[in-house]
Amino acid sequence: MAAIWRLAMTFVVGLAWGSCVLATAADADEQGFVSIFDGSLDGWEGKTEFWSVADGAIVGQTTAENPTQGNTFLFWRQGELDDFELRLSYRITGGNSGIQYRSRDFGDFVAGGYQADIDSGPTYSGINYEERGRGILATRGQRITIGTDGGKTTGEAIGDGEALQSKVNAGDWNDYRIVAEGPRLRHYINGQLMSEVVDHEEGKRAEKGILALQLHAGPPMKVEFKNIRLKRLPLADGRKKVVFVAGRPSHAPGEHEFRAGSMLMADCLEAHCPEAVTAVYTNGWPTDPTAFDNADAIHFFADGGGGHPVIQRNRLAEIAALAKRGVGIACLHYAVEVPREKGGAEFLDMIGGFFETHWSVNPHWMLAETELAAGHPITRGVKPFEIQDEWYYHMRFRDGDERVVPILTAVPPDVTRERPDGPHSNNPTVRSSKGAREVLAWAYERPDGGRGFGCTGAHFNRNFGDEQFRKLMLNAVAWAAGIEVPEDGIVSEVTAEALAANLDAK
Amino acid sequence: MPTLTVEGIGSFEVPQGKRLVNALVDECGVDQLHACGGHARCTTCRVDFVSGEPSKITKAEQEVLAAKGLAGSAGVRLSCQVLCDADMTVRVTSRLEGSGRQDAGGRPADAMQPEPVEWLDK
């Protein structure tokens, strides 16, 4: 009897251990994945006559009475995708669907770009189809490399396309997995690799873009999606990701133009810094729960002080943890100000300094006797410049902190030290320092290797039109992300139209 | 859902039963001419079939091809008179680019025009 009991216990313990191992492996496999569908269509947008939520799934449906004239899409509006892995479950009844990624918005809920295909028939599931573009890039079972000139090379087959179709549960739920790493795009269904594309084609490959779900024109159909999880991956091939966070509108037109300034800088980096991939989140803190997950640097351009977006809720801890991981942090203008008692210590750790009320001041003045740090990557190719701005000065730094490198200094006119005392206007220390040179932009190398940057200017949007100021800012954010700044700096051109684009409605 | 292959351009998924002329424009991104707006009055929407040519032809298409001296040309069809019911491969030979025209023509309707009251064997 005892032997039987021991045997039974061994079996039970073995089962428990086995399931524990399996659970742990499953947990590890899901590590870093974040749900981007919360059971509602919050954060998603499409034509409401076709898209709804039922039984915990997104449902796209056309009927004979309610057809779609062209393919229509449900857009994920919270962010864009660059390098990532996406997992979801789908079920299709009739017709054709697909998951658009790194795609473009053509308006009226039409998307074009890479598509992980979904088919109720036996032909297209798992293939890579470029909607509104090059069409079929790889059929099921194919490994395709597309050269810079668009020429296709077929590699060793994954398997027979028809045989791979047997892995798909017709009319039932299937698990889709998309892995996009640089030019390499892989589609898996129910754990089986179905197609692989390596896309190098100049002018046609996409390294970032939107996510959307497709409802195909044609006969009535229904498609359901659930358990949608996203994991952003570190960018492949040495590229670096800069995330811009632009605060909510404030101040008069042309001032504190967080959206316009952030988008302009992102556009300049994309156009003139090949290693940089950017993401811009506007109107305050990102709603995208994965916004910072693969960031190499985060650039904050927003109103600060007690309303600084970084110090709300538990965000300070979140950003401090990212900085600890080595993510660069750059703060521009008002975003350098946080309350000493809430954020001050963290800002000293992350970027080496901050605007401290009753210590720092915020006068408007024209730069004079400008000096740039010699030999620092951020000042490469930058010539001394003189522009009018609300150049805050007398930042709070740690005493004698040699990790803080003054990047831009100038001598404020004495009149800026004669204002009445106040939290932002003046204080005895500033008043008694007439003629002193002040730090207006600084770089900071954290003891653990991460980088920080602060600059007090950029009150006026027009100053992004100054070639030298713009280059300094671009060099700085690139440096913060770990990009090697070119010898001549990041050279960009900005038209009057570009400067006036994306201004907030005020 | 059929696959429409356009030689030298790519292969595209096309909604079942869509007019070929509109599929060439919408799905394949081809600047296909259709000067009469898809009414089988001209031949600017013609394509060369490489494979998958439908065996049925509308009476209107047959008459236009005959009138323009194209009836004997193997594989030449009017894309406005063809529906994408099966996989097909075509060569586009009548595009806006290089035509000297200002535009490709009015957008053909979704439904075939004239209404194909009579289908004939080609």
Side-chain angles (χ1 to χ4, degrees):
Chain A
M1 187 67 186
I4 293 172
W5 175 248
R6 271 198 307 274
L7 189 64
M9 281 307 291
T10 303
F11 180 70
V12 168
V13 169
L15 267 183
W17 180 82
S19 60
C20 187
V21 168
L22 284 174
T24 306
D27 291 347
D29 189 47
E30 278 291 311
Q31 200 167 23
F33 283 87
V34 177
S35 172
I36 56 169
F37 168 55
D38 66 359
S40 76
L41 289 183
D42 288 350
W44 297 80
E45 189 181 16
K47 290 186 175 176
T48 53
E49 63 266 40
F50 298 121
W51 297 98
S52 61
V53 171
D55 299 326
I58 291 173
V59 181
Q61 187 163 19
T62 59
T63 61
E65 300 75 32
N66 186 32
T68 176
Q69 291 305 312
N71 299 342
T72 190
F73 298 80
L74 183 73
F75 287 73
W76 184 53
R77 293 296 196 197
Q78 294 184 318
E80 293 196 345
L81 302 181
D82 35 68
D83 284 13
F84 68 94
E85 179 170 339
L86 183 79
R87 296 178 178 181
L88 57 74
S89 300
Y90 76 87
R91 178 167 64 182
I92 187 166
T93 311
N96 179 283
S97 178
I99 305 156
Q100 296 294 144
Y101 60 93
R102 293 190 188 170
S103 290
R104 288 193 296 140
D105 185 345
F106 282 75
D108 194 31
F109 301 107
V110 174
Y114 300 128
Q115 182 189 106
D117 219 320
I118 293 172
D119 191 11
S120 64
T123 311
Y124 301 115
S125 295
I127 78 165
N128 193 320
Y129 184 77
E130 191 177 68
E131 180 85 2
R132 290 198 160 235
R134 293 168 288 176
I136 295 173
L137 300 181
T139 59
R140 193 170 49 244
Q142 277 189 322
R143 283 191 171 94
I144 297 289
T145 298
I146 307 173
T148 52
D149 62 353
K152 284 184 178 179
T153 307
T154 304
E156 185 186 352
I158 297 162
D160 175 69
E162 284 186 28
L164 292 174
Q165 171 67 23
S166 67
K167 302 285 186 183
V168 181
N169 304 318
D172 206 344
W173 288 99
N174 294 277
D175 292 331
Y176 221 125
R177 189 153 75 92
I178 304 167
V179 184
E181 295 172 293
R184 189 172 180 219
L185 315 168
R186 286 173 290 164
H187 298 172
Y188 297 81
I189 297 179
N190 298 327
Q192 170 64 52
L193 179 62
M194 292 293 192
S195 67
E196 179 175 318
V197 169
V198 179
D199 189 5
H200 296 295
E201 187 169 356
E202 294 285 352
K204 298 208 170 166
R205 68 185 177 208
E207 58 181 5
K208 68 173 189 176
I210 59 165
L211 169 68
L213 307 174
Q214 187 192 44
L215 192 55
H216 213 286
M221 62 163 291
K222 179 180 180 183
V223 63
E224 300 158 273
F225 300 93
K226 65 180 182 182
N227 299 329
I228 308 173
R229 295 103 73 205
L230 173 64
K231 179 180 183 178
R232 294 186 182 274
L233 303 176
L235 297 189
D237 305 327
R239 294 165 306 145
K240 302 290 182 184
K241 168 114 172 246
V242 179
V243 176
F244 289 86
V245 177
R248 295 196 175 116
S250 73
H251 292 63
E255 302 171 26
H256 288 217
E257 294 286 0
F258 305 130
R259 182 172 73 152
S262 299
M263 293 178 80
L264 185 87
M265 287 179 65
D267 288 347
C268 288
L269 275 181
E270 294 272 355
H272 303 288
C273 182
E275 302 94 327
V277 174
T278 65
V280 183
Y281 294 92
T282 61
N283 202 31
W285 200 256
T287 55
D288 174 1
T290 68
F292 305 123
D293 287 358
N294 64 346
D296 293 292
I298 308 170
H299 182 277
F300 293 103
F301 188 25
D303 280 351
H308 200 304
V310 169
I311 67 167
Q312 313 304 315
R313 303 181 194 173
N314 63 344
R315 295 170 188 165
L316 197 51
E318 181 188 347
I319 297 302
L322 288 168
K324 200 82 181 160
R325 207 181 73 197
V327 175
I329 306 290
C331 294
L332 187 54
H333 197 48
Y334 201 174
V336 300
E337 182 187 329
V338 286
R340 177 191 175 95
E341 66 284 0
K342 189 176 185 184
E346 288 83 355
F347 267 54
L348 286 175
D349 287 343
M350 294 191 297
I351 67 170
F354 67 103
F355 183 114
E356 180 182 315
T357 52
H358 298 287
W359 176 258
S360 311
V361 292
N362 67 347
H364 284 246
W365 53 289
M366 176 71 84
L367 288 183
E369 301 177 55
T370 307
E371 287 185 6
L372 296 160
H376 196 281
I378 293 179
T379 60
R380 286 180 186 161
V382 183
K383 298 171 187 155
F385 56 96
E386 294 181 350
I387 53 177
Q388 174 89 16
D389 204 300
E390 186 185 21
W391 292 106
Y392 313 153
Y393 64 82
H394 202 239
M395 296 295 105
R396 173 64 76 184
F397 300 111
R398 288 194 179 98
D399 288 342
D401 191 343
E402 293 180 351
R403 295 184 180 279
V404 174
V405 178
I407 293 294
L408 170 68
T409 64
V411 179
D414 288 346
V415 67
T416 64
R417 301 180 188 271
E418 292 168 357
R419 301 193 298 170
D421 283 359
H424 293 86
S425 55
N426 208 353
N427 55 72
T429 314
V430 167
R431 189 180 310 107
S432 62
S433 307
K434 287 183 177 173
R437 178 165 290 279
E438 299 283 358
V439 177
L440 311 175
W442 68 94
Y444 181 66
E445 295 211 46
R446 303 178 204 127
D448 57 10
R451 291 171 171 177
F453 174 78
C455 176
T456 70
H459 178 85
F460 296 110
N461 185 64
R462 63 172 180 261
N463 285 338
F464 286 106
D466 184 277
E467 185 184 345
Q468 305 306 323
F469 175 73
R470 189 172 66 249
K471 184 184 285 187
L472 191 74
M473 295 301 105
L474 294 172
N475 288 355
V477 73
W479 174 81
I483 294 170
E484 179 64 29
V485 179
E487 275 309 304
D488 295 332
I490 297 173
V491 180
S492 63
E493 290 180 8
V494 167
T495 62
E497 290 74 25
L499 200 56
N502 307 309
L503 296 172
D504 283 316
K506 292 177 176 174
Chain B
M1 195 168 65
T3 301
L4 170 59
T5 300
V6 184
E7 268 199 355
I9 294 181
S11 297
F12 303 87
E13 298 170 26
V14 181
Q16 185 81 28
K18 186 163 183 167
R19 294 179 85 180
L20 176 56
V21 63
N22 286 340
L24 286 169
V25 175
D26 295 345
E27 273 72 26
C28 310
V30 172
D31 55 345
Q32 175 64 50
L33 288 175
H34 39 75
C36 76
H39 291 86
R41 294 196 197 112
C42 69
T43 59
T44 59
C45 72
R46 68 186 179 276
V47 295
D48 287 355
F49 268 84
V50 177
S51 65
E53 181 184 355
S55 59
K56 298 285 187 185
I57 186 168
T58 64
K59 190 164 184 290
E61 182 183 4
Q62 193 178 62
E63 288 174 356
V64 172
L65 289 176
K68 305 282 185 179
L70 294 168
S73 304
V76 174
R77 297 292 297 267
L78 301 185
S79 63
C80 78
Q81 298 298 299
V82 173
L83 300 177
C84 296
D85 285 330
D87 294 350
M88 45 186 70
T89 300
V90 300
R91 192 178 299 123
V92 286
T93 55
S94 179
R95 297 173 49 193
L96 176 61
E97 186 179 281
S99 70
R101 292 172 183 265
Q102 291 212 324
D103 59 51
R107 163 85 182 181
D110 291 335
M112 190 179 282
Q113 293 176 330
E115 192 176 347
V117 290
E118 195 174 357
W119 288 92
L120 307 169
D121 288 326
K122 184 160 188 281

